[in-house]
Amino acid sequence: MLYACPRCGSLLAVEYPGLSLDVPAVKRIWRERRMSNAPLDQSGVWRYRELIPFLDLDRHRVATLREGNTPLLSAPQAARYAAVDALTFKHQGFNPTGSFKDNGMTCGASQGLRLGLRRVACVSTGNTSASMAAYAAAAGMTPVIFLPHGNISFGKLAQALEYGALTLQVEANFDQILALVRVLAERTGIYLLNSMNPFRLEGQKTIMVEMLDQRDWRVPDWIVVPGGNLGNVSAFGKGLRELLALAFIDRLPRLAVIQAAGSAPLYDYFHSATRDQFRAVPNPETLATAIRIGDPVSWPKAMHEITDSGGTVERVTEQEIADAKAVIGRCGIGCEPASAATLAGLKKLVAAGTVKPGQDIVAVLTGNLLKDPDYIYRYHTGQLQTPSGALIESRFGNAPRVVPNDADRIAAVLEEIASLRA
Ligand code: F0G
């Protein structure tokens, strides 16, 4: 299996030479499909199949769990926190396994079926493995997953087990395991569904298509997205460029990638004076374990998309992530830690003057609140510590109260709380 060019080593991308579409007609068809009960039309990925035409749909099976269809949610409290007039979240946590990986995995797993594979594999910080386990199981393939031992959230590990994945917890970090498994894949022919698989990125690019369809094709000024292995921003950039080339849109939104400060090699590179050498972070650290990645494979693609769109890269601390996450929770929306990096990063970009308060901003929440309940409980009860052991302040903490089995005393507690919150 080939993931990279044998000559230059760059990751491959899927291209459709000569693709041209009747834009008004296709936009109308996409709208009509929302009324359909056909599985492919109900998928928020395959509904846009004209833009991902790598399968012959009459002959090939598609693995779909009705992924996509994720909402755009306006969040005034979060907007106030970031000091912007308005903010919209595209919440990928509403996907079948609770993250944006499902948009990609339906394409990756379908390509696996097309190739007649029995087994598919991935290395993951948790969400890719949960997603791949589900799609492989649904399609009748065996999922094999490699995880950094001790550094993924329990919710994600639980999903992999429940979906029946063969689960290997390796005593190494994500970057080390990915290097190991790339060698293993070459030796054993096992098919990798990491984001270096170009078919997966084809699915993820439809997140941008669906977002624009939901906005009646009004292009936002900024798309804010967390960055780990940098596949997602690469997919977004590719999708947006294709939409521009096909004349679905007339300009590109700017891409802002937010990294956790302890795992921010792209930030370092983007802001270095000469950009002569990309330096991996050897021991990446962050409680946002989804983006605990020091040597992202898709960094060249990501750089291309960010610079092409006039975008930027920001980094945020553990405290900033934790607070932003609690604010997103208070909006009634909620997300996992990595996703909250978007709001934390946006706040900094606004303070720096890079993003203007009146601009039209869509931030992508990549994972569901319930992915990492342990983090939430610790934050709200004042027990959350950074990887180096410093206590994170629970600035928006909301600890539960233990009360006796006594109506009078509970009434008194309620009154006390009400007066505190008034
Ligand atoms: N947000 C969440 C919730 C993620 O799970 C990931 C990546 C990212 C952001 C970053 O996306 O890697 O495309 O830049 N999770 C991968 C995984 C690495 O294995 O689940 P990226």
Side-chain angles (χ1 to χ4, degrees), residues 279-293:
R279 287 190 179 77
V281 172
N283 295 303
E285 283 294 358
T286 172
L287 297 178
T289 49
I291 50 173
R292 188 171 182 263
I293 294 175

Side-chain angles (χ1 to χ4, degrees), residues 76-96:
Q77 301 96 316
R80 269 199 298 284
Y81 181 74
V84 290
D85 299 345
L87 176 59
T88 304
F89 287 123
K90 171 81 173 147
H91 204 328
Q92 293 304 113
F94 281 60
N95 261 299

Side-chain angles (χ1 to χ4, degrees), residues 100-101 124-125 127-128 226-232 290-291 293 336 338 366:
F100 70 96
K101 306 289 181 178
S124 180
T125 56
N127 279 324
T128 299
N229 218 10
L230 303 173
N232 210 23
I291 50 173
I293 294 175
E336 69 162 283
T366 44

Side-chain angles (χ1 to χ4, degrees), residues 162-219:
E162 189 82 351
Y163 296 134
L166 175 59
T167 305
L168 303 171
Q169 295 185 282
V170 187
E171 285 169 334
N173 70 27
F174 175 89
D175 304 305
Q176 294 161 330
I177 307 171
L178 186 55
L180 178 83
V181 170
R182 282 178 86 164
V183 173
L184 212 59
E186 202 152 303
R187 200 182 291 169
T188 62
I190 198 165
Y191 192 54
L192 285 184
L193 285 176
N194 277 93
S195 57
M196 45 193 247
N197 183 314
F199 295 98
R200 240 198 62 196
L201 296 191
E202 287 304 286
Q204 281 168 225
K205 85 184 184 191
T206 67
I207 296 169
M208 290 295 100
V209 185
E210 184 179 72
M211 177 272 296
L212 285 161
D213 185 11
Q214 287 166 319
R215 290 170 50 99
D216 299 318
W217 302 96
R218 271 180 306 109
V219 179

Side-chain angles (χ1 to χ4, degrees), residues 37 58 113 152 185 195 201 211 214 226 239 252 267 334 363-364 375 378 422:
N37 283 327
D58 290 332
L113 283 175
I152 83 161
S195 57
L201 296 191
M211 177 272 296
Q214 287 166 319
L252 292 177
Y267 174 90
V364 180
Y375 180 111
R378 284 176 196 272

Side-chain angles (χ1 to χ4, degrees), residues 130-170:
S131 182
M132 194 196 76
Y135 280 82
M141 296 182 284
T142 303
V144 182
I145 65 179
F146 298 85
L147 304 172
H149 184 42
N151 269 305
I152 83 161
S153 77
F154 225 63
K156 298 172 190 176
L157 177 60
Q159 285 182 290
L161 302 179
E162 189 82 351
Y163 296 134
L166 175 59
T167 305
L168 303 171
Q169 295 185 282
V170 187

